[in-house]
Amino acid sequence: MTRPWRAALGLFLAALLFLFVAPQAARADVSRPVGWSLASATSQVHVGRVTLRYDPRLEDEALAVAREIPRAWSEIEHELAGDLEDTLTIHFVSHSGRIAEGTGMPQWAAGVAHPPTGEIAIAAHAPDGSLTDLDGLLRHEMAHVALYRATGGQPLPRWFHEGVAESFGEEIDLMRSQTLAGAIFGAGVPHLEQLEQNFRATDAITATVSYAAARDFVNFLRWRDEDGSDLRQALAQVKQGKNFEAAFVNGFGRTLAELDTEWRGGLTGRFMWFPIVSGDGLPMALAFPLVFLAAVRRRRHLREGWARLEAEDAALRAPFAA
Ligand SMILES: [Zn+2]
């Protein structure tokens, strides 16, 4: 390739890279309001101990959300604690703007949770107007509430709270994987202390990388042992008042730093399926995201373990190696 062409290709790929690591629609945070009243959510349905309030214009979507509730909650509850108090109030409205109005959140977000009261609000449309992934949003916000209950509301690092929510929201997420791969083969994956600071960063790319790393590290913790009991044990210890670090040593038999090293050591191998597409060193997934999107969607609901994920990554790698 001649030099100008290489430069043009490089620019094109750099633009793609920017697109894919650019901030995603704001997703929720754990916030202050208590006793929300989302005026447009006037219809109501009960699913066990869960009350789903929804905008009547969203009846079909609301019933689909309602069907998803028991399975999503019981999976999250089982993985984090075994059994938890099940009462939830979920508000489902058309647009993020309605959530901001009803909850007093300064920023528009597609979903928000208030763990102490077990309240969740989710919107069918993101701040930019695009349709949201309702299933993913529901699970993300439920995980915030479940984690709060599993740890008795003890203070937790922000990276852990968001990592758990992201991990349950969408265990295999193309955008996050690309972001993380970009960090692995680029600037490096931030260490845990750095991760915590980065969540408070105003720089969107830094924050996005931190979400991706926190999510992947939590996946690793969830799937490290056969039945996930190490994580449950650690969280139970936190609930009993043990310090976060000590609870992890108790649950996993390793310090967080050791777990971090173990996770980090496996990253390059797991992400080798982002091969180099050009001399400019950009991962192929950035150039052909749709190929990966299709593959990732197909295996979205498979969540039987870390080993399985690795095997699937190896299988995914094969077509590109050929
Ligand atoms: Zn969150």
PDB file of all heavy atoms in Angstrom, residues 27-30 140-141 144 161-162 165-166 211, ligand 1:
ATOM      1  N   ARG A  27     -26.326   5.465  31.343  1.00  0.00           N
ATOM      2  CA  ARG A  27     -27.169   4.495  32.025  1.00  0.00           C
ATOM      3  C   ARG A  27     -27.115   4.917  33.464  1.00  0.00           C
ATOM      4  O   ARG A  27     -26.249   5.464  33.975  1.00  0.00           O
ATOM      5  CB  ARG A  27     -26.588   3.114  31.863  1.00  0.00           C
ATOM      6  CG  ARG A  27     -27.423   2.114  32.574  1.00  0.00           C
ATOM      7  CD  ARG A  27     -26.931   0.745  32.326  1.00  0.00           C
ATOM      8  NE  ARG A  27     -27.612   0.169  31.205  1.00  0.00           N
ATOM      9  CZ  ARG A  27     -27.207  -0.957  30.656  1.00  0.00           C
ATOM     10  NH1 ARG A  27     -26.163  -1.571  31.080  1.00  0.00           N
ATOM     11  NH2 ARG A  27     -27.864  -1.466  29.652  1.00  0.00           N
ATOM     12  N   ALA A  28     -27.908   4.805  34.047  1.00  0.00           N
ATOM     13  CA  ALA A  28     -28.145   4.999  35.368  1.00  0.00           C
ATOM     14  C   ALA A  28     -27.123   4.980  36.405  1.00  0.00           C
ATOM     15  O   ALA A  28     -26.137   4.371  36.299  1.00  0.00           O
ATOM     16  CB  ALA A  28     -28.893   3.794  35.715  1.00  0.00           C
ATOM     17  N   ASP A  29     -27.509   5.553  37.422  1.00  0.00           N
ATOM     18  CA  ASP A  29     -26.676   5.429  38.586  1.00  0.00           C
ATOM     19  C   ASP A  29     -27.548   5.242  39.776  1.00  0.00           C
ATOM     20  O   ASP A  29     -28.740   5.400  39.712  1.00  0.00           O
ATOM     21  CB  ASP A  29     -25.861   6.665  38.702  1.00  0.00           C
ATOM     22  CG  ASP A  29     -24.489   6.228  39.057  1.00  0.00           C
ATOM     23  OD1 ASP A  29     -24.351   5.147  39.617  1.00  0.00           O
ATOM     24  OD2 ASP A  29     -23.593   6.952  38.791  1.00  0.00           O
ATOM     25  N   VAL A  30     -26.856   4.918  40.854  1.00  0.00           N
ATOM     26  CA  VAL A  30     -27.609   4.725  42.080  1.00  0.00           C
ATOM     27  C   VAL A  30     -27.864   6.137  42.594  1.00  0.00           C
ATOM     28  O   VAL A  30     -26.942   6.896  42.720  1.00  0.00           O
ATOM     29  CB  VAL A  30     -26.734   3.945  43.053  1.00  0.00           C
ATOM     30  CG1 VAL A  30     -27.464   3.691  44.326  1.00  0.00           C
ATOM     31  CG2 VAL A  30     -26.285   2.655  42.407  1.00  0.00           C
ATOM     32  N   HIS A 140     -29.648  -4.753  34.813  1.00  0.00           N
ATOM     33  CA  HIS A 140     -28.635  -3.858  35.380  1.00  0.00           C
ATOM     34  C   HIS A 140     -29.160  -3.218  36.671  1.00  0.00           C
ATOM     35  O   HIS A 140     -28.495  -3.236  37.707  1.00  0.00           O
ATOM     36  CB  HIS A 140     -28.268  -2.779  34.341  1.00  0.00           C
ATOM     37  CG  HIS A 140     -27.250  -1.782  34.799  1.00  0.00           C
ATOM     38  ND1 HIS A 140     -25.956  -1.766  34.319  1.00  0.00           N
ATOM     39  CD2 HIS A 140     -27.317  -0.775  35.701  1.00  0.00           C
ATOM     40  CE1 HIS A 140     -25.293  -0.780  34.902  1.00  0.00           C
ATOM     41  NE2 HIS A 140     -26.092  -0.160  35.752  1.00  0.00           N
ATOM     42  N   GLU A 141     -30.359  -2.674  36.595  1.00  0.00           N
ATOM     43  CA  GLU A 141     -30.898  -1.968  37.764  1.00  0.00           C
ATOM     44  C   GLU A 141     -31.274  -2.946  38.883  1.00  0.00           C
ATOM     45  O   GLU A 141     -31.087  -2.650  40.068  1.00  0.00           O
ATOM     46  CB  GLU A 141     -32.105  -1.114  37.364  1.00  0.00           C
ATOM     47  CG  GLU A 141     -31.840  -0.108  36.237  1.00  0.00           C
ATOM     48  CD  GLU A 141     -30.615   0.756  36.450  1.00  0.00           C
ATOM     49  OE1 GLU A 141     -30.171   0.921  37.601  1.00  0.00           O
ATOM     50  OE2 GLU A 141     -30.072   1.266  35.452  1.00  0.00           O
ATOM     51  N   HIS A 144     -28.227  -3.743  40.902  1.00  0.00           N
ATOM     52  CA  HIS A 144     -27.874  -2.721  41.896  1.00  0.00           C
ATOM     53  C   HIS A 144     -28.649  -2.958  43.199  1.00  0.00           C
ATOM     54  O   HIS A 144     -28.092  -2.896  44.294  1.00  0.00           O
ATOM     55  CB  HIS A 144     -28.218  -1.321  41.371  1.00  0.00           C
ATOM     56  CG  HIS A 144     -27.137  -0.698  40.529  1.00  0.00           C
ATOM     57  ND1 HIS A 144     -25.821  -0.609  40.936  1.00  0.00           N
ATOM     58  CD2 HIS A 144     -27.186  -0.116  39.312  1.00  0.00           C
ATOM     59  CE1 HIS A 144     -25.111   0.005  39.997  1.00  0.00           C
ATOM     60  NE2 HIS A 144     -25.913   0.305  38.988  1.00  0.00           N
ATOM     61  N   HIS A 161     -19.815  -1.994  42.375  1.00  0.00           N
ATOM     62  CA  HIS A 161     -21.255  -1.838  42.176  1.00  0.00           C
ATOM     63  C   HIS A 161     -21.593  -1.796  40.682  1.00  0.00           C
ATOM     64  O   HIS A 161     -22.471  -2.510  40.201  1.00  0.00           O
ATOM     65  CB  HIS A 161     -21.767  -0.560  42.854  1.00  0.00           C
ATOM     66  CG  HIS A 161     -22.902  -0.829  43.803  1.00  0.00           C
ATOM     67  ND1 HIS A 161     -24.117  -1.307  43.376  1.00  0.00           N
ATOM     68  CD2 HIS A 161     -22.996  -0.700  45.141  1.00  0.00           C
ATOM     69  CE1 HIS A 161     -24.918  -1.467  44.425  1.00  0.00           C
ATOM     70  NE2 HIS A 161     -24.257  -1.111  45.512  1.00  0.00           N
ATOM     71  N   GLU A 162     -20.865  -0.966  39.943  1.00  0.00           N
ATOM     72  CA  GLU A 162     -21.153  -0.846  38.511  1.00  0.00           C
ATOM     73  C   GLU A 162     -20.732  -2.105  37.757  1.00  0.00           C
ATOM     74  O   GLU A 162     -21.400  -2.523  36.816  1.00  0.00           O
ATOM     75  CB  GLU A 162     -20.464   0.375  37.901  1.00  0.00           C
ATOM     76  CG  GLU A 162     -21.171   1.685  38.177  1.00  0.00           C
ATOM     77  CD  GLU A 162     -22.669   1.657  37.895  1.00  0.00           C
ATOM     78  OE1 GLU A 162     -23.104   1.051  36.883  1.00  0.00           O
ATOM     79  OE2 GLU A 162     -23.419   2.215  38.701  1.00  0.00           O
ATOM     80  N   ALA A 165     -23.479  -4.622  38.243  1.00  0.00           N
ATOM     81  CA  ALA A 165     -24.670  -4.246  37.462  1.00  0.00           C
ATOM     82  C   ALA A 165     -24.439  -4.473  35.970  1.00  0.00           C
ATOM     83  O   ALA A 165     -25.296  -5.004  35.267  1.00  0.00           O
ATOM     84  CB  ALA A 165     -25.036  -2.790  37.738  1.00  0.00           C
ATOM     85  N   GLU A 166     -23.267  -4.107  35.495  1.00  0.00           N
ATOM     86  CA  GLU A 166     -22.953  -4.288  34.082  1.00  0.00           C
ATOM     87  C   GLU A 166     -22.839  -5.770  33.741  1.00  0.00           C
ATOM     88  O   GLU A 166     -23.254  -6.208  32.673  1.00  0.00           O
ATOM     89  CB  GLU A 166     -21.606  -3.619  33.762  1.00  0.00           C
ATOM     90  CG  GLU A 166     -21.677  -2.124  33.724  1.00  0.00           C
ATOM     91  CD  GLU A 166     -22.254  -1.623  32.411  1.00  0.00           C
ATOM     92  OE1 GLU A 166     -21.657  -1.880  31.365  1.00  0.00           O
ATOM     93  OE2 GLU A 166     -23.319  -1.005  32.435  1.00  0.00           O
ATOM     94  N   TYR A 211     -15.719   1.068  33.001  1.00  0.00           N
ATOM     95  CA  TYR A 211     -16.923   0.239  33.040  1.00  0.00           C
ATOM     96  C   TYR A 211     -16.631  -1.124  32.425  1.00  0.00           C
ATOM     97  O   TYR A 211     -17.013  -2.162  32.965  1.00  0.00           O
ATOM     98  CB  TYR A 211     -18.061   0.895  32.249  1.00  0.00           C
ATOM     99  CG  TYR A 211     -18.983   1.738  33.086  1.00  0.00           C
ATOM    100  CD1 TYR A 211     -18.664   3.054  33.386  1.00  0.00           C
ATOM    101  CD2 TYR A 211     -20.178   1.218  33.568  1.00  0.00           C
ATOM    102  CE1 TYR A 211     -19.512   3.833  34.144  1.00  0.00           C
ATOM    103  CE2 TYR A 211     -21.034   1.999  34.337  1.00  0.00           C
ATOM    104  CZ  TYR A 211     -20.693   3.301  34.620  1.00  0.00           C
ATOM    105  OH  TYR A 211     -21.539   4.068  35.384  1.00  0.00           O
TER     106      TYR A 211
HETATM  107 ZN    ZN B   1     -25.407   1.293  37.173  1.00  0.00          ZN
END
